[in-house]
Amino acid sequence: MPNDTLGRPLKDLRISVTDRCNFRCTYCMPLNEYSWIERGELLTYEEILRLAGLFVRLGVEKIRVTGGEPLVRRKLDVLIRGLASLEGIQDLSLTTNGALLAEQAEALRAAGLKRINLSLDTLDAAKFRRITQRGELSEVLKGLEAAERCGFDPIKINAVIERGVNEDEIVPLAEFARAHGLTLRYIEFMDVGNANQWRMEKVVGKKEILATLAARFPLREAHRADTSSPAVNYEFADGGGAFGVIASVTEPFCRDCDRARLTADGKLVACLVAQQGHDLKSLLRAGASDRELMEVIAGLWRQRADRYSEERLVALQSPSGYEPQRHAKMEMIVLGG
Ligand code: SF4
């Protein structure tokens, strides 16, 4: 598999299986109305498996299943079983909001899924309701218990920290993760899409997150085995476990970004903050061979030059500043993070 124009290989594929979600998190789906991908335009599980197989043959080692909320798509364990059996895949994970996890954890585990990332931005039920606009914290905690019972390991907690919303949860979430032996990942609020009213003032940066934690716990930076991993890892020096910070706004990591995304309607997207994707579904449904599809994917990756978060930081530090609305960007709901 060729590298892109910045010498980055394609190793990590995020597969969105739906643009639908049972939550309306304010930093991802703040709008009331959405026009969904029509069912006939969604890739079938067979089509997803075929494309995923081609990406793995081209060098992809890690696959993450995302959405929208992937657990709202029926019989997801069927797809997981197929992905888990792909020769050459080294890591298969899923990102979920956890609301449907209690009823699906066992089937997903039996299908070969080993690890899960669970989105959890607060432990306060009222605040949870305000952030998700539809969800119940108790459902998510039941889902987490089921995942722990089924032996998913690791279970990582993803927490998006937004100023004025949940920066006061930084320490309570850490205490919760330490008590449960979970790996917490704090995520800086990003301007993915154009709907979430992102402003730099709302970003609680990595330095501030670390300072807040250091006031409460002894910390030390952990060895970074995989430089392409978006999270910078730390340990609680008192043996309380580990956590990470995904600082794409204040400390962008585009230079090591080996991630591509496949949308639920079959578009290859080269960057989380891209304006558009490249349609693979029409080729696939027009009868393209595996070889033709692999040549198209390799060709698209070879042209890739995306480094949006680095460009955003330069703009933020420039006299003219950065205007997020000036850049048309695909919404998180179709990219799945
Ligand atoms: S902004 Fe784009 S290129 Fe940079 S790390 Fe994110 S996905 Fe990768």
Side-chain angles (χ1 to χ4, degrees):
M1 176 69 167
N3 290 345
D4 70 11
T5 61
L6 301 176
R8 301 168 295 186
L10 172 51
K11 293 286 184 198
D12 187 342
L13 180 66
R14 312 283 167 97
I15 301 177
S16 167
V17 295
T18 179
D19 60 340
R20 298 174 186 241
C21 186
N22 45 3
F23 286 2
R24 292 289 180 278
C25 300
T26 51
Y27 53 80
C28 175
M29 289 185 80
L31 308 177
N32 289 323
E33 293 303 321
Y34 284 87
S35 52
W36 307 115
I37 299 170
E38 285 172 31
R39 289 198 188 288
E41 294 308 315
L42 284 175
L43 291 179
T44 64
Y45 285 164
E46 292 73 23
E47 290 171 331
I48 294 174
L49 275 174
R50 181 175 170 208
L51 286 173
L54 300 180
F55 277 96
V56 171
R57 283 166 62 187
L58 285 165
V60 161
E61 298 167 353
K62 298 183 275 186
I63 288 182
R64 179 177 304 193
V65 175
T66 68
E69 167 50 40
L71 300 189
V72 303
R73 186 146 176 194
R74 287 164 38 76
K75 298 188 176 159
L76 188 69
D77 58 315
V78 173
L79 175 67
I80 294 289
R81 194 176 301 285
L83 291 172
S85 67
L86 287 175
E87 210 179 309
I89 190 165
Q90 294 174 19
D91 180 41
L92 175 62
S93 62
L94 172 102
T95 300
T96 173
N97 65 27
L100 300 171
L101 192 51
E103 57 203 73
Q104 296 188 35
E106 227 167 287
L108 293 168
R109 189 76 186 83
L113 187 67
K114 295 191 177 66
R115 70 181 188 91
I116 280 178
N117 284 37
L118 183 77
S119 305
L120 184 62
D121 307 311
T122 175
L123 295 162
D124 176 297
K127 194 182 295 176
F128 186 93
R129 187 76 188 181
R130 281 199 302 280
I131 294 173
T132 63
Q133 301 183 80
R134 293 190 180 182
E136 296 300 338
L137 177 61
S138 56
E139 288 170 349
V140 174
L141 295 179
K142 267 197 224 119
L144 175 58
E145 277 164 28
E148 289 173 318
R149 243 190 345 269
C150 291
F152 284 101
D153 182 29
I155 298 174
K156 295 185 179 178
I157 300 290
N158 286 353
V160 175
I161 306 297
E162 185 180 344
R163 195 178 307 287
V165 174
N166 62 339
E167 70 269 35
D168 58 346
E169 299 275 342
I170 292 172
V171 169
L173 285 165
E175 286 165 342
F176 179 81
R178 286 162 56 96
H180 284 254
L182 304 167
T183 302
L184 185 54
R185 298 168 0 130
Y186 297 100
I187 303 174
E188 291 183 345
F189 177 42
M190 290 178 278
D191 62 323
V192 177
N194 292 87
N196 67 7
Q197 308 299 316
W198 183 90
R199 294 198 319 284
M200 190 57 199
E201 302 78 63
K202 294 182 180 178
V203 174
V204 179
K206 181 181 128 185
K207 288 196 176 60
E208 190 177 341
I209 292 170
L210 291 177
T212 306
L213 289 167
R216 175 74 180 72
F217 309 104
L219 309 178
R220 66 170 166 249
E221 186 159 349
H223 168 62
R224 190 154 189 219
D226 175 4
T227 55
S228 73
S229 160
V232 178
N233 298 318
Y234 295 83
E235 290 162 349
F236 296 106
D238 59 0
F243 68 94
V245 183
I246 299 179
S248 69
V249 178
T250 62
E251 292 181 20
F253 36 80
C254 303
R255 70 188 168 287
D256 294 314
C257 178
D258 58 2
R259 281 173 294 283
R261 288 151 177 99
L262 181 65
T263 65
D265 58 352
K267 295 191 181 73
L268 172 60
V269 182
C271 171
L272 182 61
V273 209
Q275 289 191 1
Q276 64 203 1
H278 306 277
D279 181 13
L280 297 178
K281 182 186 64 202
S282 305
L283 292 169
L284 185 142
R285 291 186 178 176
S289 68
D290 285 357
R291 185 190 170 84
E292 288 163 336
L293 286 164
M294 288 166 78
E295 278 169 7
V296 168
I297 294 167
L300 289 168
W301 188 259
R302 204 179 283 120
Q303 294 162 22
R304 180 190 187 231
D306 300 74
R307 45 186 288 274
Y308 190 92
S309 289
E310 288 177 353
E311 291 157 351
R312 178 204 299 123
L313 186 59
V314 170
L316 283 165
Q317 294 165 338
S318 72
S320 54
Y322 169 67
E323 183 38 64
Q325 296 304 330
R326 216 178 291 150
H327 308 265
K329 295 161 277 181
M330 297 175 78
E331 292 297 328
M332 178 70 100
I333 194 67
V334 294
L335 293 171

PDB file of all heavy atoms in Angstrom, residues 8 253-254 257 259 261 271-273 304 306-309, ligand 1:
ATOM      1  N   ARG A   8       2.527   8.952   4.969  1.00  0.00           N
ATOM      2  CA  ARG A   8       1.758   8.202   5.976  1.00  0.00           C
ATOM      3  C   ARG A   8       1.102   6.972   5.354  1.00  0.00           C
ATOM      4  O   ARG A   8       0.419   7.092   4.323  1.00  0.00           O
ATOM      5  CB  ARG A   8       0.680   9.119   6.578  1.00  0.00           C
ATOM      6  CG  ARG A   8       1.254  10.383   7.245  1.00  0.00           C
ATOM      7  CD  ARG A   8       0.179  11.405   7.565  1.00  0.00           C
ATOM      8  NE  ARG A   8      -0.445  11.948   6.350  1.00  0.00           N
ATOM      9  CZ  ARG A   8      -1.330  12.956   6.400  1.00  0.00           C
ATOM     10  NH1 ARG A   8      -1.677  13.494   7.567  1.00  0.00           N
ATOM     11  NH2 ARG A   8      -1.880  13.432   5.278  1.00  0.00           N
ATOM     12  N   PHE A 253      -1.947  15.930  15.644  1.00  0.00           N
ATOM     13  CA  PHE A 253      -1.102  14.758  15.375  1.00  0.00           C
ATOM     14  C   PHE A 253      -1.256  14.282  13.931  1.00  0.00           C
ATOM     15  O   PHE A 253      -1.120  13.102  13.630  1.00  0.00           O
ATOM     16  CB  PHE A 253      -1.461  13.642  16.353  1.00  0.00           C
ATOM     17  CG  PHE A 253      -2.921  13.567  16.685  1.00  0.00           C
ATOM     18  CD1 PHE A 253      -3.820  12.959  15.832  1.00  0.00           C
ATOM     19  CD2 PHE A 253      -3.409  14.140  17.859  1.00  0.00           C
ATOM     20  CE1 PHE A 253      -5.176  12.905  16.135  1.00  0.00           C
ATOM     21  CE2 PHE A 253      -4.772  14.094  18.166  1.00  0.00           C
ATOM     22  CZ  PHE A 253      -5.657  13.463  17.295  1.00  0.00           C
ATOM     23  N   CYS A 254      -1.539  15.226  13.035  1.00  0.00           N
ATOM     24  CA  CYS A 254      -1.776  14.847  11.640  1.00  0.00           C
ATOM     25  C   CYS A 254      -0.573  14.138  11.012  1.00  0.00           C
ATOM     26  O   CYS A 254      -0.728  13.286  10.147  1.00  0.00           O
ATOM     27  CB  CYS A 254      -2.120  16.080  10.807  1.00  0.00           C
ATOM     28  SG  CYS A 254      -3.547  16.978  11.422  1.00  0.00           S
ATOM     29  N   CYS A 257      -0.993  10.559  11.166  1.00  0.00           N
ATOM     30  CA  CYS A 257      -2.369  10.059  11.014  1.00  0.00           C
ATOM     31  C   CYS A 257      -2.467   9.029   9.891  1.00  0.00           C
ATOM     32  O   CYS A 257      -2.289   9.362   8.715  1.00  0.00           O
ATOM     33  CB  CYS A 257      -3.312  11.223  10.735  1.00  0.00           C
ATOM     34  SG  CYS A 257      -5.007  10.675  10.468  1.00  0.00           S
ATOM     35  N   ARG A 259      -5.250   7.126   9.399  1.00  0.00           N
ATOM     36  CA  ARG A 259      -6.659   6.745   9.470  1.00  0.00           C
ATOM     37  C   ARG A 259      -7.457   7.199   8.267  1.00  0.00           C
ATOM     38  O   ARG A 259      -7.310   8.333   7.784  1.00  0.00           O
ATOM     39  CB  ARG A 259      -7.307   7.386  10.706  1.00  0.00           C
ATOM     40  CG  ARG A 259      -7.005   6.680  12.010  1.00  0.00           C
ATOM     41  CD  ARG A 259      -7.525   7.463  13.194  1.00  0.00           C
ATOM     42  NE  ARG A 259      -6.830   8.722  13.352  1.00  0.00           N
ATOM     43  CZ  ARG A 259      -5.615   8.831  13.866  1.00  0.00           C
ATOM     44  NH1 ARG A 259      -4.958   7.739  14.240  1.00  0.00           N
ATOM     45  NH2 ARG A 259      -5.039   9.999  14.004  1.00  0.00           N
ATOM     46  N   ARG A 261     -11.715   6.752   6.695  1.00  0.00           N
ATOM     47  CA  ARG A 261     -13.069   6.433   7.112  1.00  0.00           C
ATOM     48  C   ARG A 261     -13.899   5.972   5.938  1.00  0.00           C
ATOM     49  O   ARG A 261     -13.728   6.456   4.824  1.00  0.00           O
ATOM     50  CB  ARG A 261     -13.711   7.653   7.766  1.00  0.00           C
ATOM     51  CG  ARG A 261     -13.104   7.915   9.155  1.00  0.00           C
ATOM     52  CD  ARG A 261     -13.105   9.329   9.572  1.00  0.00           C
ATOM     53  NE  ARG A 261     -12.559   9.418  10.935  1.00  0.00           N
ATOM     54  CZ  ARG A 261     -11.307   9.760  11.222  1.00  0.00           C
ATOM     55  NH1 ARG A 261     -10.455  10.030  10.244  1.00  0.00           N
ATOM     56  NH2 ARG A 261     -10.905   9.851  12.468  1.00  0.00           N
ATOM     57  N   CYS A 271      -9.998  12.302   5.909  1.00  0.00           N
ATOM     58  CA  CYS A 271      -9.724  13.093   7.105  1.00  0.00           C
ATOM     59  C   CYS A 271     -11.032  13.369   7.852  1.00  0.00           C
ATOM     60  O   CYS A 271     -12.075  13.534   7.224  1.00  0.00           O
ATOM     61  CB  CYS A 271      -9.083  14.420   6.693  1.00  0.00           C
ATOM     62  SG  CYS A 271      -8.914  15.619   8.030  1.00  0.00           S
ATOM     63  N   LEU A 272     -10.952  13.409   9.189  1.00  0.00           N
ATOM     64  CA  LEU A 272     -12.140  13.634  10.015  1.00  0.00           C
ATOM     65  C   LEU A 272     -12.757  14.999   9.730  1.00  0.00           C
ATOM     66  O   LEU A 272     -13.944  15.204   9.936  1.00  0.00           O
ATOM     67  CB  LEU A 272     -11.757  13.545  11.493  1.00  0.00           C
ATOM     68  CG  LEU A 272     -12.858  13.700  12.518  1.00  0.00           C
ATOM     69  CD1 LEU A 272     -13.920  12.620  12.363  1.00  0.00           C
ATOM     70  CD2 LEU A 272     -12.293  13.668  13.932  1.00  0.00           C
ATOM     71  N   VAL A 273     -11.958  15.923   9.225  1.00  0.00           N
ATOM     72  CA  VAL A 273     -12.450  17.277   8.976  1.00  0.00           C
ATOM     73  C   VAL A 273     -12.473  17.548   7.469  1.00  0.00           C
ATOM     74  O   VAL A 273     -12.232  18.665   7.020  1.00  0.00           O
ATOM     75  CB  VAL A 273     -11.592  18.323   9.734  1.00  0.00           C
ATOM     76  CG1 VAL A 273     -12.409  19.537  10.084  1.00  0.00           C
ATOM     77  CG2 VAL A 273     -10.972  17.753  11.006  1.00  0.00           C
ATOM     78  N   ARG A 304      -3.563  11.710  -0.953  1.00  0.00           N
ATOM     79  CA  ARG A 304      -3.985  12.328   0.321  1.00  0.00           C
ATOM     80  C   ARG A 304      -2.929  13.298   0.832  1.00  0.00           C
ATOM     81  O   ARG A 304      -1.756  12.968   0.884  1.00  0.00           O
ATOM     82  CB  ARG A 304      -4.242  11.244   1.359  1.00  0.00           C
ATOM     83  CG  ARG A 304      -4.691  11.746   2.727  1.00  0.00           C
ATOM     84  CD  ARG A 304      -4.673  10.612   3.723  1.00  0.00           C
ATOM     85  NE  ARG A 304      -5.235  10.964   5.009  1.00  0.00           N
ATOM     86  CZ  ARG A 304      -4.614  10.743   6.171  1.00  0.00           C
ATOM     87  NH1 ARG A 304      -3.386  10.247   6.178  1.00  0.00           N
ATOM     88  NH2 ARG A 304      -5.192  11.039   7.309  1.00  0.00           N
ATOM     89  N   ASP A 306      -4.147  15.615   3.520  1.00  0.00           N
ATOM     90  CA  ASP A 306      -4.885  16.228   4.636  1.00  0.00           C
ATOM     91  C   ASP A 306      -4.018  16.392   5.883  1.00  0.00           C
ATOM     92  O   ASP A 306      -3.303  15.486   6.260  1.00  0.00           O
ATOM     93  CB  ASP A 306      -6.094  15.366   5.010  1.00  0.00           C
ATOM     94  CG  ASP A 306      -7.063  15.203   3.846  1.00  0.00           C
ATOM     95  OD1 ASP A 306      -6.722  14.443   2.924  1.00  0.00           O
ATOM     96  OD2 ASP A 306      -8.109  15.851   3.843  1.00  0.00           O
ATOM     97  N   ARG A 307      -4.122  17.566   6.503  1.00  0.00           N
ATOM     98  CA  ARG A 307      -3.514  17.822   7.811  1.00  0.00           C
ATOM     99  C   ARG A 307      -4.259  18.984   8.448  1.00  0.00           C
ATOM    100  O   ARG A 307      -3.697  19.976   8.910  1.00  0.00           O
ATOM    101  CB  ARG A 307      -2.032  18.096   7.695  1.00  0.00           C
ATOM    102  CG  ARG A 307      -1.633  19.070   6.573  1.00  0.00           C
ATOM    103  CD  ARG A 307      -0.126  19.200   6.397  1.00  0.00           C
ATOM    104  NE  ARG A 307       0.454  19.938   7.499  1.00  0.00           N
ATOM    105  CZ  ARG A 307       0.512  21.292   7.515  1.00  0.00           C
ATOM    106  NH1 ARG A 307       0.068  21.985   6.490  1.00  0.00           N
ATOM    107  NH2 ARG A 307       1.036  21.909   8.549  1.00  0.00           N
ATOM    108  N   TYR A 308      -5.586  18.842   8.460  1.00  0.00           N
ATOM    109  CA  TYR A 308      -6.473  19.949   8.828  1.00  0.00           C
ATOM    110  C   TYR A 308      -6.181  20.499  10.219  1.00  0.00           C
ATOM    111  O   TYR A 308      -6.140  21.719  10.431  1.00  0.00           O
ATOM    112  CB  TYR A 308      -7.942  19.524   8.748  1.00  0.00           C
ATOM    113  CG  TYR A 308      -8.905  20.679   8.874  1.00  0.00           C
ATOM    114  CD1 TYR A 308      -9.377  21.339   7.752  1.00  0.00           C
ATOM    115  CD2 TYR A 308      -9.302  21.137  10.122  1.00  0.00           C
ATOM    116  CE1 TYR A 308     -10.224  22.427   7.849  1.00  0.00           C
ATOM    117  CE2 TYR A 308     -10.160  22.224  10.249  1.00  0.00           C
ATOM    118  CZ  TYR A 308     -10.618  22.864   9.104  1.00  0.00           C
ATOM    119  OH  TYR A 308     -11.458  23.950   9.211  1.00  0.00           O
ATOM    120  N   SER A 309      -6.010  19.608  11.206  1.00  0.00           N
ATOM    121  CA  SER A 309      -5.834  20.094  12.586  1.00  0.00           C
ATOM    122  C   SER A 309      -4.558  20.918  12.717  1.00  0.00           C
ATOM    123  O   SER A 309      -4.520  21.897  13.473  1.00  0.00           O
ATOM    124  CB  SER A 309      -5.808  18.909  13.556  1.00  0.00           C
ATOM    125  OG  SER A 309      -7.102  18.367  13.649  1.00  0.00           O
TER     126      SER A 309
HETATM  127  S1  SF4 B   1      -7.328  16.363  11.168  1.00  0.00           S
HETATM  128 FE1  SF4 B   1      -7.392  14.809   9.568  1.00  0.00          FE
HETATM  129  S2  SF4 B   1      -5.254  14.404   9.061  1.00  0.00           S
HETATM  130 FE2  SF4 B   1      -5.278  15.448  11.031  1.00  0.00          FE
HETATM  131  S3  SF4 B   1      -5.299  13.812  12.556  1.00  0.00           S
HETATM  132 FE3  SF4 B   1      -7.430  14.375  12.175  1.00  0.00          FE
HETATM  133  S4  SF4 B   1      -8.119  12.953  10.598  1.00  0.00           S
HETATM  134 FE4  SF4 B   1      -5.875  12.907  10.602  1.00  0.00          FE
END
